[in-house]
Structure formats: structure tokens, C-alpha cells
Amino acid sequence: MRSSLNHPPLLRRLTIAGGLAAALAFGTVSAAVGGAQAQGASGADVSADVSAATSAPLKDYDREIVDQFDSANSVSHIRHLAVDIGPRLNGTPQEREGAEYIGGILKSYGFDVTLQSWGPVSTKSVAKVTSPNADLPGGPNWQMAASTSAKFTGNDAVVEGQVVYAKTGQSAADFPDDVAGKIVLMDYNATASVRNTAVVNAVSRGAVAVILAYPTGNSAPPSFTLTTAQPNIPVMGGGSAHYTWITDLLAKGPLTLRITTNQYVNPMGTNVIGIRHAVGDPDGTKAPIVMVGAHIDSVLGAPGAHDDASGNGVSLEIARVLSQYPLDKELRIGGFGGEEGGLLGAKAYVNTLTAAEKARFVGEWQMDMVGTPYEPARLWALTPNGQSNFVVQEAYDAAARVGFDGLRNCRLGQSDHQAFYDVGIPSSLFIWLDYRPPAPPAVCGPTGGTYVTEPQYHKPTDTMDNISPERLQITLDVVGGAVAHNALNAVTVSATSDAGQPLAGAPVRADCGNGLRDLGTTGADGRLRTVLPHSTCDFTTTAEGRTATERGVSIAGDRAVKMTVDLTKPTISLTTPADGAVFTLGTAATASYRCDDNLSGVATCTGTVPDGSPLDTSTVGFHAFTVKAADNAGNVADQKATYQVVYPWHASFPETMEGKAGSAVPIKFSLGGDHGTGVIASGYPVSRPVTCATGKATGPAESTSSPGNSKLGYGDGQYNYVWKTDRGWSDTCRQFELKLDDGSSHFTTIRLK
């Protein structure tokens, strides 16, 4: 992050370094959809849902993607940038090398990569310091300020020598006996004449190079000129960390350093831009753009592990994970040079954007210093006007999804998000910083706050020790989660009943070709908002135990999916047998029924016998007939009818007759043949007293008797039952009831004399 003259503490941006070994291989998400086409009006298929439920569903894409982010990969990238390359001062070959490394990683993830040269920028005078015999603290590649009053060796004239310490270098007593051919370390002094004397004294004693380094404090390498030019040896300014590291190494034994100094006159800065084009938009002319940015450069002398190799490490990990998914949005990863010099690379990049491109931007998530272990630092989303915007809100939403409540937002420019903000692109700076918002009643929008930077900010001590994998992981989960959410397609699933009512709390699942996954449940408005890659998906939801499925839904851009849950039972029309129908024994009758469902469609329709099949009339009595129906949503219905099968009855006695009390009355009838003597229902026949005028019963029914305990007989094609009347029934009327085992009853009334 670029420092500000308006704030006494200096704020630095975070940079992440890593290696090609961090490019892990993952399977590509398939967009194919398997399974048979659904039947019925809405394509619902209960069996498909049941079979899919046998295995645990996958997570939604937000959670799946966040679970793949691994800060260990980010750390690997940070290490490559900060350690293997080292300080990456704007306009130097190291800045370019950092861009090439980032570009190589992005290419391995399938991005189209462009290295942009822009500038020129201010002249840079730098020294590269390494060692052939010692592991240099803070990394193998130190960078110091090369004095313009001394020799620039170039890369082909390396100066190598043992290091000796000469204190302030103001007198002979400060120097060891043997200085010739050595590299002399001396205390840096703020007074130009003191510095000049020290260098002149070292040169007079045969030094091959001079390092003036701050002996105390926590200072960056100083740049300085000498009153007495030294055209034959390189002279460098080192930070206080260099001083401490060198003196500590000398205390352990001889130390040899190798030094090259270069002056890069009005060099060009470098950006790297990786583009992963949207599906169906290979030329990048119409798809919405989601961009992640970080800056490549560091300040002179600083390895820039946190400022801002950390930002690039997070960007590359986001790129790795999202490269696995087919996207309908264009994903851009930006590495910008020259941020420390005034947001130069970001401004140069933004100036290349056409009006049409700017209009396509969803937002730009800029990361700078996103992983320090400095305890007072917290994760902030900072905008140039102090107002929340789309990018900030999406980060809050992503934080909520992973359960992180530590994100805050306020006002600050000073990083590459400013360049995007200035042209109307929603952007924000994400940074771990000890930021202090204004005291109430002041608010972030108009005033902004102050901040305190970590001790390693813009210092040679901004090394891998200044990186927290845990905070990198939080950044990945929050910022990476927001970027991923917006890179995927926004899909709104609405669930309504067949009566048009929204269904709250309905679980929604989808299979987009790689297994069933849980997308969540609908809200009070019956809607679920989720994200999906470019794919073809089968959606399923349930309500009140009913299932609705929409198959083969093409997800190509943001879209809405409507699902209607069929809560209405199928209808059954049962024509034959009608309830209460009576059939004569052995009559030919055919079952007739049908099932209908105008929503999800009929899944099953079954009766006691299939439609069009013969009814059972082979036995007398009451028969139950049932039709059961189920639709594809899981609604079931049934309809029952009871029909009766009776004998072919023919009575050989009148409905009314006269008789003599105490005499036997023959009751003769035929049933179409001999069906045995068990045709009378148990407990019958019976008789009961009735009024002669109306036939209304005047007493309970009584079992009949027959003379000589005779039984029902059969002969000459008919049945005969002899009813013995009682002498006491004289001058009364009795009703005789003959009930058969087919459930039918037959009556005659007799007037007894």
C-alpha cells in the first residue's frame, strides 16, 4: 500500500509469493446432465429423487468453493515473490520477474495472460546483495540503495568480498587492520560530511565496496549522494535490519557478500493481467467482468512479503479454485506494478479500458497487505469515499456465510482500488490494518479514520515472518468467497404451491451433472437465491412431503427458476362398479375407471382389477372395489365402492297371504339352481308381529320354527322351507323375513285366522 503524507504512520500493501508447485490439479466440473426425461406436466419424477437421496448431497457452490481455498498455496506464492525474487521495486527487473511468475501461474490455470509495459517511471538506483557462504536472514536477495555518486557495476561485474565492520569510519581506530579487498560496513550518519568522510577513509584503505547502514531503529535503506564521488567502487545504503543481520553474522564468523549495483534510467513498469473468458464469449465483448487485484511492487529494500506479495498469493489461490468451474462471467486477475509510486500501474491499466469494458464490470476486489500476524490489525474494507458499495456488501455477505464477524468498513484511498473508483467501477481495498475510525459523531464517509502500520511496514523485515496463514485463510474465505459468489451465475429459485402460494422453508436441491447438492431452503417469500456455474441442472424441492422436479434447466447467466409443488391429489372417476351396485351371480360385468392429474401427472392408477377387466361376480355377497392413484409429486388418493352379488331370485309365494294359526306355511323359492342348503343367512328366517292395516312391526323378530325340526330342502328345481305358525297368533298378522347369504332379504306377510 502506498504511504500517505496525511498520516504520520506509513501504511504498506500486502503481497503474496508462491511457487509453481502450488498449482494443484482438480477435476473440471461437468456440465452434462444424466437421467431420463420426466413424465407428466411438470416433469416430476419421484423415483429419481428417492434414488438421489440415497447418497449424501454435496454442498452448495459457495461452501464448496470456500472449502477448497487453502492458504498454504498462498504462502507458497508469497515465498516465491518475497524470497526467491526478493524486493520488487517499480521499474526494476524484479518487478518484471514477479509479473512473469504470476502470469505463468495464471497460464497454468487456463488464463489468457498479458504483460503490460507502461511508463516510463523515475530512475531507480539499486544494489543487489547476496552471499555465497551464508544464509542471509530475511531472504537470499537483499536490496539496498545504490549511491549515484559511486560505481554502478552492472550484472556482469559482481563485487565479492569479506565484510569488515568499521564503526563510524571517522578515524583510523574505527577500521580493522586489513581492509584492502574487503566490503566495509559502517554506521550511517544523517550528516552528509560525516558520511563522505567515512567512505573516503574506507576507499583509501582499499575497500572494494561500502555499506552505510542505520545502526538503530527500524529504518529502510537510505538513498544519498557523496561530496566526493567514488567512481571505482559501489557505495550502498542499508536499512537497520541489514545492519543487525550483518553484525550478527560477523559475530559468528567470516561473512562474504556479493554485490551488484544498477541504475535503471526511466524504466518501464509492468502489469500482468490474466483473463479467463466466459463460456460463450471467447472474445470478451459482452460477459460481465469480475476482477481481483493486488500490486506486484514493493518499496526499495523491502521483500514485500506482506506488502503486497500476500495480495497476489490470495489472488492466485482464488484463480486456482475458480479455474475449475465453467463460468458465464469473465474473471480477471490483475497484478499491478508501481502502486508504491502513486498507483501508477493500476491507473495505466484502467486507462486502457474502453467505456464498454468499464460498463461490464461487476466490481474489483483489491487486496493489499492481507495477512499480517500484527495483533492490532483487523480486516477492513476501505473505499475512497468511506461509503459501503456493492463490493463491500458482497464481502460482508461472504463473511456471514462463513461465520466471520470481524470485517469492518471505512474510508481510505492510497491503493489501487482508487484507480477503479475514479472511473466509476465498484471497488474496495481489503487490508489487515490497525485502522482507527473517526470518533463519533464523525462518520467514516466524510472524514475517514487514522491508522497505525505494523512495525515491518516498508522495511527489510517485511519477510515471511510477517505472514499469518490463518489471516490469509480468513481473507480467502471472505474476499475469495465474495469473488466466487459473483463469478458464478445468480439463480433465484421460487417455490410455490399449485394454488400459487409461496412455500417457505422448502429445501431445494440441484444436480448439475456431478451429483445432487443441497442449495438451502426457501425464505418467507418462497425464494432461494443461490449461485451456480454454467451448467444444465435438475432442480428438486419438497413441501408437505410432495416433490417437484424441473429437469434440464440451462444455467447460462443469471436466471430465475420457478418450481410449482403439486399439493393436489389426483382425481379418480370410478364408473363400474358404482357404489351400491347389485349384480346377479355370474353376470358378466367390466371394471371401468380412470385417474387424472393435470399438474405433475399420474404416476400410478391401480384398481382391485385392472380397468377393462371382468368384475368378480362368481360368489354371492358384498364385494369391495378400490382404486388407488398417485401422482408424480407424491400425492395419493383412493376411491372405494361396494357392490353386491345376489342369487337369481324367484319367489313361489306371494307378498301377502292368508293362513291358519298353528298351521304350517310352505315358503318356496328358486335361486337358479342348487346352491346347497346353506343359502339362508345365519339366524334366519325370522318373523315379527305387524299391524294388519299398515304392516308396521309391533314386536321384535323371533326365530321361526319348522314342523318336526325339518330343514331347508331342495327339489324339483326349487327350495322349500316350511314355516310352522303358532296357535296364539290367531287374528294377527306376521311378517316373515327370509334373508339369504348373498345379503338379500325377502318378505311375505300372512294374516292368520
Side-chain angles (χ1 to χ4, degrees):
M1 176 174 139
R2 185 170 65 93
S3 60
S4 169
L5 297 178
N6 297 324
H7 300 279
L10 296 179
L11 178 65
R12 73 175 235 190
R13 278 188 52 100
L14 181 72
T15 306
I16 300 182
L20 282 169
L24 305 181
F26 284 77
T28 300
V29 174
S30 171
V33 174
Q37 291 298 315
Q39 298 177 354
S42 70
D45 185 348
V46 177
S47 63
D49 185 57
V50 171
S51 63
T54 59
S55 59
L58 303 170
K59 299 173 182 177
D60 65 56
Y61 282 99
D62 276 323
R63 186 72 258 180
E64 177 181 277
I65 288 173
V66 167
D67 284 351
Q68 292 182 65
F69 290 141
D70 188 347
S71 65
N73 297 326
S74 297
V75 169
S76 178
H77 295 306
I78 295 169
R79 180 173 290 107
H80 184 84
L81 289 170
V83 176
D84 299 341
I85 297 175
R88 301 167 304 284
L89 186 63
N90 178 219
T92 64
Q94 287 75 27
E95 181 187 63
R96 181 82 177 185
E97 186 178 353
E100 291 172 347
Y101 170 76
I102 294 168
I105 297 296
L106 292 174
K107 282 184 180 179
S108 74
Y109 298 154
F111 284 74
D112 292 338
V113 174
T114 301
L115 294 180
Q116 295 181 337
S117 292
W118 49 267
V121 299
S122 60
T123 296
K124 304 298 190 297
S125 301
V126 296
K128 181 176 181 180
V129 180
T130 60
S131 175
N133 71 337
D135 292 329
L136 299 182
N141 298 301
W142 285 351
Q143 187 182 72
M144 299 181 185
S147 174
T148 57
S149 307
K151 180 180 180 179
F152 290 105
T153 66
N155 294 329
D156 296 330
V158 177
V159 174
E160 181 176 318
Q162 287 191 1
V163 180
V164 295
Y165 175 53
K167 302 178 183 178
T168 64
Q170 299 302 298
S171 66
D174 289 339
F175 287 88
D177 294 336
D178 186 10
V179 174
K182 305 291 179 63
I183 298 171
V184 179
L185 170 68
M186 294 180 288
D187 299 355
Y188 177 83
N189 192 284
T191 303
S193 61
V194 174
R195 296 195 300 269
N196 192 72
T197 297
V199 174
V200 168
N201 289 339
V203 172
S204 68
R205 287 166 172 76
V208 295
V210 171
I211 299 173
L212 298 179
Y214 285 104
T216 59
N218 187 12
S219 301
S223 298
F224 55 86
T225 58
L226 300 169
T227 305
T228 304
Q230 301 295 338
N232 298 317
I233 69 167
V235 179
M236 296 151 290
S240 53
H242 295 134
Y243 180 95
T244 300
W245 291 336
I246 291 173
T247 54
D248 286 349
L249 289 169
L250 287 174
K252 298 176 183 178
L255 170 65
T256 299
L257 295 178
R258 289 176 176 163
I259 295 169
T260 59
T261 55
N262 284 284
Q263 185 174 59
Y264 303 103
V265 179
N266 298 130
M268 301 296 285
T270 304
N271 294 335
V272 57
I273 306 297
I275 298 179
R276 190 166 184 268
H277 290 293
V279 176
D281 187 26
D283 298 327
T285 59
K286 58 186 179 182
I289 298 170
V290 174
M291 188 164 192
V292 185
H295 72 83
I296 305 167
D297 62 314
S298 61
V299 298
L300 189 145
H306 190 222
D307 187 14
D308 181 31
S310 64
N312 290 290
V314 170
S315 294
L316 290 174
E317 179 63 357
I318 293 172
R320 178 188 71 82
V321 174
L322 287 183
S323 68
Q324 305 169 62
Y325 297 88
L327 303 175
D328 291 298
K329 294 187 176 71
E330 184 175 300
L331 179 61
R332 294 189 182 186
I333 307 293
F336 306 114
E339 187 270 353
E340 303 289 3
L343 321 181
L344 302 177
K347 290 178 180 178
Y349 170 69
V350 168
N351 286 339
T352 68
L353 298 176
T354 65
E357 277 183 291
K358 294 172 188 175
R360 290 195 290 128
F361 266 81
V362 174
E364 196 266 349
W365 284 258
Q366 184 68 24
M367 286 172 291
D368 196 348
M369 301 171 62
V370 289
T372 179
Y374 182 51
E375 177 48 38
R378 294 295 181 265
L379 182 58
W380 286 86
L382 303 173
T383 59
N385 65 353
Q387 299 294 319
S388 180
N389 60 21
F390 177 81
V391 168
V392 173
Q393 186 55 53
E394 288 297 297
Y396 272 112
D397 292 346
R401 288 193 293 270
V402 297
F404 177 70
D405 62 0
L407 179 65
R408 300 292 182 269
N409 68 287
C410 200
R411 177 177 180 172
L412 193 68
Q414 299 176 219
S415 192
D416 290 330
H417 66 302
Q418 178 79 54
F420 292 87
Y421 170 85
D422 289 343
V423 297
I425 294 174
S427 62
S428 178
L429 165 65
F430 293 90
I431 185 169
W432 282 88
L433 181 67
D434 183 11
Y435 186 92
R436 290 128 189 232
V443 294
C444 285
T447 57
T450 60
Y451 55 83
V452 175
T453 58
E454 65 205 37
Q456 291 76 25
Y457 174 68
H458 282 185
K459 304 296 189 302
T461 49
D462 185 12
T463 63
M464 294 304 296
D465 291 337
N466 196 29
I467 292 296
S468 164
E470 293 76 17
R471 287 183 168 179
L472 288 174
Q473 190 65 55
I474 292 172
T475 307
L476 282 165
D477 293 349
V478 173
V479 181
V483 171
H485 187 83
N486 283 277
L488 297 175
N489 297 312
V491 177
T492 299
V493 180
S494 61
T496 59
S497 70
D498 46 18
Q501 297 300 311
L503 298 174
V508 179
R509 291 180 173 182
D511 187 340
C512 298
N514 59 349
L516 195 68
R517 65 180 67 239
D518 241 328
L519 300 183
T521 57
T522 57
D525 60 355
R527 295 182 179 182
L528 168 70
R529 293 161 182 84
T530 189
V531 289
L532 299 173
H534 179 92
S535 52
T536 300
C537 304
D538 296 344
F539 290 88
T540 302
T541 190
T542 57
E544 300 181 19
R546 309 298 182 256
T547 300
T549 299
E550 290 293 331
R551 290 192 176 275
V553 179
S554 175
I555 305 298
D558 299 346
R559 67 159 298 166
V561 177
K562 183 177 181 180
M563 305 185 73
T564 300
V565 180
D566 178 2
L567 300 179
T568 301
K569 296 179 179 180
T571 60
I572 299 172
S573 299
L574 176 55
T575 304
T576 305
D579 190 39
V582 178
F583 300 95
T584 301
L585 181 69
T587 298
T590 301
S592 176
Y593 58 87
R594 60 173 290 160
C595 306
D596 295 287
D597 191 283
N598 294 327
L599 297 169
S600 61
V602 175
T604 59
C605 182
T606 57
T608 302
V609 298
D611 178 52
S613 297
L615 291 177
D616 180 12
T617 60
S618 62
T619 58
V620 296
F622 293 95
H623 296 254
F625 194 94
T626 302
V627 179
K628 294 182 178 180
D631 63 20
N632 287 304
N635 298 296
V636 295
D638 64 73
Q639 185 170 336
K640 296 179 180 179
T642 300
Y643 67 94
Q644 185 180 10
V645 178
V646 298
Y647 296 111
W649 167 266
H650 176 73
S652 297
F653 55 87
E655 291 185 6
T656 60
M657 57 183 173
E658 294 184 354
K660 183 178 181 180
S663 299
V665 179
I667 304 295
K668 297 182 179 181
F669 57 92
S670 63
L671 301 177
D674 185 0
H675 299 287
T677 58
V679 295
I680 299 178
S682 177
Y684 288 86
V686 296
S687 71
R688 59 180 61 82
V690 297
T691 62
C692 293
T694 64
K696 183 178 180 180
T698 59
E702 303 171 357
S703 295
T704 61
S705 62
S706 57
N709 293 320
S710 62
K711 302 296 182 181
L712 177 69
Y714 181 83
D716 297 328
Q718 65 178 359
Y719 285 94
N720 184 32
Y721 179 83
V722 179
W723 172 28
K724 184 177 183 301
T725 62
D726 193 290
R727 290 180 183 273
W729 296 346
S730 178
D731 295 327
T732 66
C733 291
R734 305 272 311 181
Q735 183 186 64
F736 177 87
E737 179 182 359
L738 175 65
K739 186 174 185 178
L740 302 178
D741 64 351
D742 64 2
S744 63
S745 289
H746 306 276
F747 301 89
T748 185
T749 301
I750 185 169
R751 181 184 295 271
L752 296 166
K753 296 180 180 179

